[in-house]
Amino acid sequence: SCKALLTLIDNALANAKAKSLDESKLTINHIQVNQAPKGRRRTYRAHGRINAFMSNPCHIELFAEARETNIEKAAAPA
């Protein structure tokens, strides 16, 4: 969800601040979301029935780095 991604970005900013890096130069290089094993639970229903209650978790990977200088585009050949 969006809340999980925003939490990761806030965490990356806090880590940059803790490592005394410039937060304004922080850029995200890589974001990847992978499927995690499903959680299996039970939900109890009326008349003694039991239904499956599955959760679909995921692993979110985020790489960020502080870039020192901007790379300028090379001039086009004439």
Side-chain angles (χ1 to χ4, degrees):
S1 73
C2 294
K3 283 186 178 181
L5 286 177
L6 290 174
T7 303
L8 282 177
I9 293 171
D10 288 341
N11 193 0
L13 288 173
N15 288 341
K17 188 175 181 181
K19 293 182 179 183
S20 67
L21 298 173
D22 189 8
E23 298 169 12
S24 63
K25 295 182 179 179
L26 198 68
T27 59
I28 296 173
N29 293 343
H30 173 78
I31 294 180
Q32 183 175 352
V33 180
N34 293 327
Q35 190 175 8
K38 292 188 178 192
R40 294 180 177 92
R41 294 185 285 172
R42 295 186 237 183
T43 180
Y44 298 97
R45 306 299 299 258
H47 307 291
R49 293 178 297 149
I50 298 174
N51 285 355
F53 187 73
M54 307 285 279
S55 65
N56 295 311
C58 63
H59 298 295
I60 303 173
E61 188 175 88
L62 180 126
F63 296 156
E65 72 174 349
R67 301 225 174 163
E68 292 301 321
T69 58
N70 291 334
I71 300 171
E72 294 184 17
K73 188 175 181 179

Coordinates of all heavy atoms in Angstrom, one line a residue:
S1 N 0.8 -1.2 0.0 CA 0.0 0.0 0.0 C 0.9 1.2 0.0 O 2.1 1.2 0.2 CB -0.9 0.0 1.2 OG -0.2 0.3 2.4
C2 N 0.3 2.4 -0.2 CA 1.0 3.6 -0.2 C 1.6 4.0 1.1 O 2.6 4.6 1.2 CB 0.1 4.7 -0.7 SG -0.5 4.6 -2.4
K3 N 0.9 3.6 2.2 CA 1.4 3.9 3.6 C 2.7 3.2 3.8 O 3.6 3.8 4.4 CB 0.4 3.5 4.6 CG -0.8 4.4 4.8 CD -1.6 3.9 6.0 CE -2.8 4.8 6.2 NZ -3.6 4.4 7.3
A4 N 2.9 2.0 3.3 CA 4.1 1.3 3.5 C 5.3 1.9 2.8 O 6.4 2.1 3.3 CB 4.0 -0.2 3.1
L5 N 5.0 2.4 1.5 CA 6.1 3.1 0.8 C 6.4 4.4 1.4 O 7.6 4.8 1.4 CB 5.6 3.3 -0.7 CG 5.6 2.0 -1.5 CD1 5.0 2.4 -2.9 CD2 7.0 1.4 -1.7
L6 N 5.4 5.2 1.9 CA 5.7 6.4 2.5 C 6.5 6.2 3.8 O 7.4 7.0 4.1 CB 4.4 7.2 2.8 CG 3.7 7.7 1.6 CD1 2.4 8.3 1.9 CD2 4.6 8.8 0.8
T7 N 6.2 5.2 4.5 CA 7.0 4.9 5.7 C 8.4 4.5 5.4 O 9.4 5.0 6.1 CB 6.3 3.7 6.5 OG1 5.0 4.0 6.7 CG2 7.0 3.4 7.8
L8 N 8.7 3.8 4.3 CA 10.0 3.5 3.9 C 10.8 4.7 3.5 O 12.0 4.8 3.8 CB 10.0 2.4 2.7 CG 9.7 1.0 3.1 CD1 9.7 0.1 1.9 CD2 10.8 0.5 4.0
I9 N 10.1 5.6 2.8 CA 10.8 6.8 2.3 C 11.1 7.7 3.5 O 12.2 8.3 3.6 CB 9.9 7.6 1.3 CG1 9.9 6.8 0.0 CG2 10.5 9.0 1.0 CD1 8.9 7.3 -1.0
D10 N 10.2 7.8 4.5 CA 10.5 8.5 5.7 C 11.7 7.9 6.5 O 12.5 8.6 7.1 CB 9.3 8.6 6.6 CG 8.2 9.5 6.1 OD1 8.5 10.4 5.2 OD2 7.0 9.4 6.5
N11 N 11.7 6.6 6.5 CA 12.8 5.9 7.2 C 14.1 6.1 6.5 O 15.2 6.3 7.1 CB 12.5 4.4 7.2 CG 13.4 3.6 8.1 OD1 14.2 4.2 8.8 ND2 13.2 2.3 8.2
A12 N 14.1 6.2 5.1 CA 15.4 6.5 4.4 C 15.8 7.9 4.7 O 17.1 8.1 4.9 CB 15.1 6.3 2.9
L13 N 14.9 8.9 4.8 CA 15.3 10.2 5.2 C 15.9 10.3 6.6 O 16.9 11.0 6.8 CB 14.1 11.1 5.0 CG 13.6 11.5 3.6 CD1 12.3 12.3 3.7 CD2 14.7 12.2 2.9
A14 N 15.3 9.6 7.5 CA 15.8 9.5 8.9 C 17.2 8.9 8.9 O 18.0 9.3 9.7 CB 14.8 8.8 9.8
N15 N 17.4 7.8 8.1 CA 18.7 7.2 8.1 C 19.8 8.1 7.5 O 20.9 8.2 8.0 CB 18.7 5.9 7.3 CG 17.9 4.8 8.0 OD1 17.7 4.9 9.2 ND2 17.5 3.8 7.2
A16 N 19.4 8.9 6.5 CA 20.3 9.9 5.9 C 20.7 11.0 6.9 O 21.8 11.4 7.0 CB 19.7 10.5 4.7
K17 N 19.7 11.4 7.7 CA 19.9 12.4 8.7 C 20.8 11.9 9.8 O 21.7 12.6 10.3 CB 18.6 12.9 9.3 CG 18.7 14.1 10.2 CD 17.3 14.6 10.6 CE 17.5 15.8 11.5 NZ 16.2 16.2 12.0
A18 N 20.6 10.6 10.2 CA 21.4 10.0 11.2 C 22.9 9.8 10.8 O 23.8 9.9 11.6 CB 20.9 8.6 11.6
K19 N 23.1 9.6 9.5 CA 24.4 9.5 8.9 C 25.0 10.8 8.5 O 26.1 10.8 7.8 CB 24.4 8.5 7.7 CG 24.1 7.1 8.2 CD 24.1 6.1 7.0 CE 23.8 4.7 7.5 NZ 23.9 3.8 6.4
S20 N 24.4 11.9 8.8 CA 24.8 13.3 8.5 C 25.0 13.5 7.0 O 25.9 14.1 6.6 CB 26.0 13.7 9.3 OG 27.1 13.0 8.9
L21 N 24.0 12.9 6.2 CA 24.0 13.2 4.8 C 23.0 14.3 4.4 O 22.1 14.5 5.2 CB 23.6 11.9 4.0 CG 24.5 10.7 4.2 CD1 23.9 9.5 3.5 CD2 25.9 11.0 3.6
D22 N 23.2 14.9 3.3 CA 22.3 16.0 2.9 C 21.0 15.3 2.4 O 21.0 14.6 1.4 CB 22.9 16.8 1.8 CG 22.1 18.0 1.5 OD1 21.1 18.3 2.2 OD2 22.4 18.7 0.5
E23 N 19.9 15.6 3.0 CA 18.6 14.9 2.6 C 18.1 15.4 1.3 O 17.4 14.7 0.6 CB 17.6 15.2 3.7 CG 18.0 14.6 5.1 CD 17.1 15.1 6.2 OE1 16.0 15.7 5.9 OE2 17.4 14.8 7.3
S24 N 18.5 16.6 0.9 CA 18.0 17.2 -0.4 C 18.6 16.5 -1.6 O 18.1 16.5 -2.7 CB 18.2 18.7 -0.4 OG 19.5 19.0 -0.4
K25 N 19.8 15.9 -1.4 CA 20.5 15.2 -2.5 C 20.2 13.7 -2.5 O 20.8 13.0 -3.3 CB 22.0 15.4 -2.3 CG 22.4 16.8 -2.5 CD 23.9 17.0 -2.4 CE 24.3 18.4 -2.6 NZ 25.8 18.6 -2.4
L26 N 19.3 13.2 -1.7 CA 19.0 11.8 -1.6 C 18.1 11.4 -2.8 O 17.1 12.1 -3.1 CB 18.2 11.5 -0.3 CG 18.2 10.1 0.1 CD1 19.6 9.6 0.5 CD2 17.3 9.9 1.3
T27 N 18.5 10.4 -3.5 CA 17.7 9.9 -4.7 C 17.4 8.5 -4.5 O 18.2 7.7 -4.0 CB 18.4 10.2 -6.0 OG1 19.7 9.5 -6.0 CG2 18.7 11.6 -6.3
I28 N 16.3 8.0 -5.0 CA 15.9 6.6 -5.0 C 16.5 5.9 -6.2 O 16.1 6.3 -7.4 CB 14.4 6.4 -4.9 CG1 13.9 7.1 -3.5 CG2 14.0 5.0 -4.9 CD1 12.5 7.1 -3.4
N29 N 17.3 4.9 -6.1 CA 17.9 4.2 -7.2 C 17.0 3.0 -7.6 O 16.9 2.7 -8.8 CB 19.2 3.7 -6.9 CG 20.2 4.8 -6.7 OD1 20.0 5.9 -7.1 ND2 21.3 4.5 -6.1
H30 N 16.4 2.3 -6.7 CA 15.8 1.0 -7.0 C 14.6 0.8 -6.0 O 14.8 1.0 -4.8 CB 16.9 0.0 -6.8 CG 16.3 -1.4 -6.9 ND1 16.1 -2.0 -8.1 CD2 16.1 -2.4 -6.0 CE1 15.6 -3.3 -7.9 NE2 15.7 -3.5 -6.6
I31 N 13.5 0.4 -6.5 CA 12.4 0.0 -5.7 C 11.9 -1.3 -6.3 O 11.7 -1.4 -7.5 CB 11.2 1.0 -5.7 CG1 11.6 2.2 -5.0 CG2 10.0 0.4 -5.0 CD1 10.5 3.3 -4.9
Q32 N 11.7 -2.4 -5.5 CA 11.2 -3.6 -5.9 C 10.3 -4.2 -4.9 O 10.5 -4.2 -3.7 CB 12.4 -4.6 -6.1 CG 12.0 -5.9 -6.7 CD 13.3 -6.8 -7.0 OE1 14.4 -6.3 -6.9 NE2 13.0 -8.0 -7.3
V33 N 9.2 -4.8 -5.4 CA 8.2 -5.4 -4.5 C 8.1 -6.9 -4.9 O 7.8 -7.2 -6.0 CB 6.8 -4.7 -4.6 CG1 5.8 -5.4 -3.7 CG2 6.9 -3.2 -4.3
N34 N 8.3 -7.7 -3.9 CA 8.3 -9.2 -4.2 C 7.2 -9.8 -3.3 O 6.8 -9.3 -2.2 CB 9.6 -9.8 -3.8 CG 10.7 -9.4 -4.7 OD1 10.5 -9.2 -5.9 ND2 11.9 -9.3 -4.2
Q35 N 6.6 -10.9 -3.8 CA 5.5 -11.6 -3.1 C 6.1 -12.4 -2.0 O 7.2 -13.1 -2.2 CB 4.8 -12.5 -4.1 CG 3.5 -13.0 -3.6 CD 2.8 -13.8 -4.6 OE1 3.3 -14.0 -5.7 NE2 1.6 -14.2 -4.3
A36 N 5.5 -12.3 -0.8 CA 6.0 -13.1 0.3 C 5.1 -14.3 0.5 O 4.0 -14.4 -0.1 CB 5.9 -12.2 1.6
P37 N 5.5 -15.3 1.3 CA 4.6 -16.4 1.6 C 3.3 -16.0 2.2 O 3.3 -15.1 3.0 CB 5.4 -17.3 2.6 CG 6.8 -16.9 2.4 CD 6.8 -15.4 2.0
K38 N 2.2 -16.6 1.8 CA 0.9 -16.2 2.3 C 0.7 -16.7 3.7 O 1.2 -17.8 4.1 CB -0.2 -16.9 1.4 CG -0.2 -16.3 0.0 CD -1.4 -16.8 -0.7 CE -1.4 -16.1 -2.1 NZ -2.7 -16.3 -2.8
G39 N 0.1 -15.9 4.5 CA -0.3 -16.2 5.8 C -1.6 -16.9 5.9 O -2.6 -16.5 5.3
R40 N -1.6 -18.0 6.5 CA -2.9 -18.8 6.6 C -3.4 -18.8 8.0 O -2.8 -19.2 8.9 CB -2.6 -20.3 6.1 CG -2.2 -20.4 4.7 CD -1.9 -21.8 4.3 NE -1.7 -21.9 2.9 CZ -0.4 -21.9 2.4 NH1 0.6 -21.7 3.2 NH2 -0.2 -21.9 1.1
R41 N -4.7 -18.3 8.1 CA -5.3 -18.3 9.4 C -6.7 -18.8 9.2 O -7.2 -19.1 8.1 CB -5.4 -16.9 10.0 CG -4.0 -16.4 10.3 CD -4.1 -15.0 11.0 NE -4.4 -14.0 10.0 CZ -4.7 -12.8 10.3 NH1 -4.8 -12.4 11.5 NH2 -5.0 -11.9 9.4
R42 N -7.5 -18.9 10.3 CA -8.9 -19.4 10.2 C -9.8 -18.4 10.7 O -9.5 -17.6 11.7 CB -9.0 -20.7 11.0 CG -8.3 -21.8 10.6 CD -8.7 -23.0 11.4 NE -7.4 -23.6 12.0 CZ -7.4 -24.6 12.7 NH1 -8.5 -25.3 13.0 NH2 -6.3 -25.1 13.2
T43 N -11.0 -18.3 10.1 CA -12.0 -17.5 10.7 C -13.2 -18.4 11.0 O -13.5 -19.3 10.2 CB -12.4 -16.3 9.7 OG1 -13.4 -15.6 10.3 CG2 -12.9 -16.8 8.4
Y44 N -13.7 -18.2 12.2 CA -14.8 -19.1 12.6 C -16.1 -18.5 12.3 O -16.4 -17.4 12.5 CB -14.6 -19.3 14.1 CG -13.3 -19.9 14.5 CD1 -12.2 -19.2 14.9 CD2 -13.1 -21.3 14.4 CE1 -11.0 -19.7 15.2 CE2 -11.9 -21.9 14.7 CZ -10.9 -21.1 15.1 OH -9.7 -21.7 15.4
R45 N -17.0 -19.4 11.7 CA -18.3 -19.0 11.2 C -19.4 -19.6 12.1 O -19.1 -20.4 13.0 CB -18.4 -19.4 9.8 CG -17.3 -19.0 8.8 CD -17.2 -17.4 8.8 NE -18.4 -16.8 8.3 CZ -18.6 -16.4 7.1 NH1 -17.6 -16.4 6.2 NH2 -19.7 -15.8 6.7
A46 N -20.6 -19.3 11.7 CA -21.8 -19.8 12.4 C -21.9 -21.3 12.2 O -21.4 -21.9 11.2 CB -23.0 -19.1 12.0
H47 N -22.6 -22.0 13.1 CA -22.9 -23.4 13.0 C -21.6 -24.3 12.9 O -21.6 -25.4 12.2 CB -23.8 -23.7 11.8 CG -25.0 -22.9 11.8 ND1 -26.1 -23.0 12.7 CD2 -25.4 -21.9 10.9 CE1 -27.0 -22.1 12.4 NE2 -26.6 -21.4 11.4
G48 N -20.6 -23.9 13.5 CA -19.4 -24.7 13.6 C -18.5 -24.8 12.4 O -17.6 -25.6 12.3
R49 N -18.8 -23.9 11.4 CA -18.0 -23.9 10.2 C -16.7 -23.1 10.4 O -16.7 -22.1 11.2 CB -18.8 -23.3 9.0 CG -19.9 -24.2 8.6 CD -20.7 -23.6 7.5 NE -21.3 -22.4 8.0 CZ -21.5 -21.3 7.2 NH1 -21.3 -21.4 5.9 NH2 -22.1 -20.2 7.7
I50 N -15.7 -23.4 9.6 CA -14.4 -22.6 9.6 C -14.0 -22.3 8.1 O -14.1 -23.2 7.3 CB -13.3 -23.5 10.2 CG1 -13.6 -23.8 11.7 CG2 -12.0 -22.8 10.1 CD1 -12.6 -24.7 12.3
N51 N -13.7 -21.1 7.9 CA -13.3 -20.7 6.5 C -11.8 -20.2 6.6 O -11.3 -19.8 7.6 CB -14.1 -19.5 6.0 CG -15.5 -19.9 5.6 OD1 -15.8 -21.1 5.6 ND2 -16.3 -19.0 5.2
A52 N -11.2 -20.3 5.4 CA -9.8 -19.8 5.4 C -9.7 -18.3 5.4 O -10.6 -17.7 4.8 CB -9.1 -20.4 4.1
F53 N -8.7 -17.8 6.0 CA -8.5 -16.3 6.0 C -7.1 -16.1 5.6 O -6.2 -16.2 6.4 CB -8.8 -15.8 7.5 CG -8.8 -14.3 7.6 CD1 -9.8 -13.5 7.0 CD2 -7.7 -13.7 8.2 CE1 -9.8 -12.2 7.1 CE2 -7.7 -12.3 8.3 CZ -8.7 -11.5 7.8
M54 N -6.9 -15.8 4.3 CA -5.5 -15.7 3.8 C -5.1 -14.2 3.8 O -5.9 -13.3 3.4 CB -5.5 -16.2 2.4 CG -6.1 -17.6 2.2 SD -5.0 -18.8 2.8 CE -3.9 -19.0 1.4
S55 N -3.8 -14.0 4.1 CA -3.3 -12.6 3.9 C -2.2 -12.7 2.8 O -1.6 -13.7 2.6 CB -2.6 -12.2 5.2 OG -1.6 -13.0 5.6
N56 N -2.0 -11.6 2.1 CA -1.1 -11.5 1.0 C 0.0 -10.5 1.3 O -0.1 -9.4 0.8 CB -1.8 -11.2 -0.3 CG -2.8 -12.2 -0.7 OD1 -2.4 -13.4 -0.8 ND2 -4.0 -11.9 -1.0
P57 N 1.0 -10.9 2.1 CA 2.1 -9.9 2.4 C 3.1 -9.8 1.2 O 3.0 -10.5 0.3 CB 2.7 -10.5 3.6 CG 2.5 -12.0 3.5 CD 1.2 -12.1 2.8
C58 N 3.9 -8.8 1.3 CA 5.0 -8.6 0.3 C 6.2 -8.0 1.0 O 6.2 -7.5 2.1 CB 4.5 -7.6 -0.8 SG 4.1 -5.9 -0.1
H59 N 7.3 -8.2 0.3 CA 8.6 -7.6 0.7 C 8.9 -6.4 -0.2 O 8.9 -6.5 -1.4 CB 9.8 -8.7 0.5 CG 9.6 -9.9 1.3 ND1 9.6 -9.9 2.7 CD2 9.4 -11.2 0.9 CE1 9.5 -11.1 3.1 NE2 9.3 -11.9 2.1
I60 N 9.2 -5.3 0.4 CA 9.5 -4.1 -0.4 C 11.0 -3.7 -0.2 O 11.5 -3.7 1.0 CB 8.6 -2.9 0.1 CG1 7.1 -3.3 -0.1 CG2 8.9 -1.7 -0.7 CD1 6.2 -2.2 0.5
E61 N 11.7 -3.6 -1.3 CA 13.1 -3.3 -1.3 C 13.3 -1.9 -1.8 O 12.8 -1.6 -2.9 CB 13.8 -4.3 -2.1 CG 15.3 -4.3 -2.1 CD 15.8 -5.5 -2.9 OE1 16.0 -5.3 -4.2 OE2 16.0 -6.6 -2.4
L62 N 14.0 -1.0 -1.1 CA 14.2 0.4 -1.6 C 15.7 0.7 -1.4 O 16.2 0.6 -0.3 CB 13.4 1.3 -0.8 CG 13.4 2.8 -1.1 CD1 12.0 3.3 -1.4 CD2 14.0 3.6 0.0
F63 N 16.4 1.2 -2.4 CA 17.8 1.6 -2.4 C 17.8 3.1 -2.6 O 17.2 3.6 -3.6 CB 18.7 0.9 -3.4 CG 18.8 -0.6 -3.2 CD1 19.1 -1.4 -4.3 CD2 18.6 -1.2 -2.0 CE1 19.2 -2.7 -4.1 CE2 18.7 -2.5 -1.8 CZ 19.0 -3.3 -2.9
A64 N 18.5 3.9 -1.8 CA 18.6 5.3 -2.0 C 20.1 5.7 -1.7 O 20.8 5.1 -0.9 CB 17.7 6.1 -1.0
E65 N 20.5 6.7 -2.4 CA 21.9 7.2 -2.2 C 21.9 8.7 -2.4 O 21.0 9.3 -3.0 CB 22.9 6.6 -3.2 CG 22.7 7.0 -4.6 CD 23.8 6.5 -5.5 OE1 24.8 5.9 -5.0 OE2 23.7 6.6 -6.7
A66 N 22.9 9.3 -1.8 CA 23.1 10.8 -1.9 C 24.0 11.1 -3.0 O 25.2 10.6 -3.0 CB 23.6 11.3 -0.6
R67 N 23.6 11.7 -4.0 CA 24.4 12.1 -5.2 C 25.1 13.4 -4.9 O 24.4 14.4 -4.5 CB 23.5 12.1 -6.4 CG 22.9 10.8 -6.7 CD 23.0 10.5 -8.1 NE 22.4 9.1 -8.3 CZ 22.1 8.7 -9.5 NH1 22.3 9.4 -10.6 NH2 21.6 7.4 -9.6
E68 N 26.3 13.4 -5.2 CA 27.1 14.7 -4.9 C 26.9 15.7 -6.0 O 26.6 16.8 -5.7 CB 28.6 14.3 -4.8 CG 28.9 13.5 -3.6 CD 28.5 14.2 -2.3 OE1 28.7 15.4 -2.2 OE2 28.0 13.5 -1.4
T69 N 27.0 15.3 -7.3 CA 26.9 16.3 -8.4 C 26.0 15.7 -9.4 O 25.8 14.5 -9.6 CB 28.3 16.5 -9.0 OG1 28.8 15.3 -9.5 CG2 29.3 17.1 -8.1
N70 N 25.3 16.6 -10.1 CA 24.5 16.2 -11.2 C 25.3 16.0 -12.5 O 26.3 16.7 -12.7 CB 23.4 17.3 -11.5 CG 22.4 17.4 -10.4 OD1 22.2 16.5 -9.7 ND2 21.9 18.6 -10.3
I71 N 25.0 14.9 -13.2 CA 25.7 14.6 -14.4 C 25.1 15.3 -15.6 O 23.9 15.2 -15.8 CB 25.7 13.1 -14.7 CG1 26.4 12.4 -13.5 CG2 26.4 12.8 -16.0 CD1 26.3 10.9 -13.6
E72 N 25.8 16.2 -16.3 CA 25.3 16.9 -17.4 C 25.2 16.1 -18.6 O 26.1 15.3 -18.9 CB 26.1 18.2 -17.6 CG 26.0 19.1 -16.4 CD 26.7 20.4 -16.6 OE1 27.0 20.7 -17.8 OE2 27.0 21.1 -15.6
K73 N 24.2 16.4 -19.4 CA 24.1 15.7 -20.7 C 25.2 16.1 -21.7 O 25.5 17.3 -21.8 CB 22.7 16.0 -21.3 CG 22.4 15.2 -22.5 CD 20.9 15.5 -22.9 CE 20.6 14.6 -24.1 NZ 19.2 14.9 -24.5
A74 N 25.7 15.2 -22.4 CA 26.8 15.5 -23.4 C 26.2 16.3 -24.5 O 25.1 16.1 -24.9 CB 27.5 14.2 -23.8
A75 N 27.1 17.1 -25.1 CA 26.7 17.9 -26.2 C 26.5 17.0 -27.5 O 27.2 16.1 -27.7 CB 27.7 19.0 -26.6
A76 N 25.5 17.3 -28.3 CA 25.2 16.5 -29.5 C 26.3 16.7 -30.5 O 26.7 17.9 -30.7 CB 23.8 16.8 -30.0
P77 N 26.7 15.7 -31.2 CA 27.8 15.9 -32.2 C 27.2 16.8 -33.4 O 26.1 16.6 -33.8 CB 28.1 14.5 -32.7 CG 27.0 13.6 -32.3 CD 26.4 14.3 -31.1
A78 N 28.0 17.7 -33.9 CA 27.6 18.6 -34.9 C 27.6 18.0 -36.3 O 28.2 17.1 -36.7 CB 28.4 19.9 -34.9

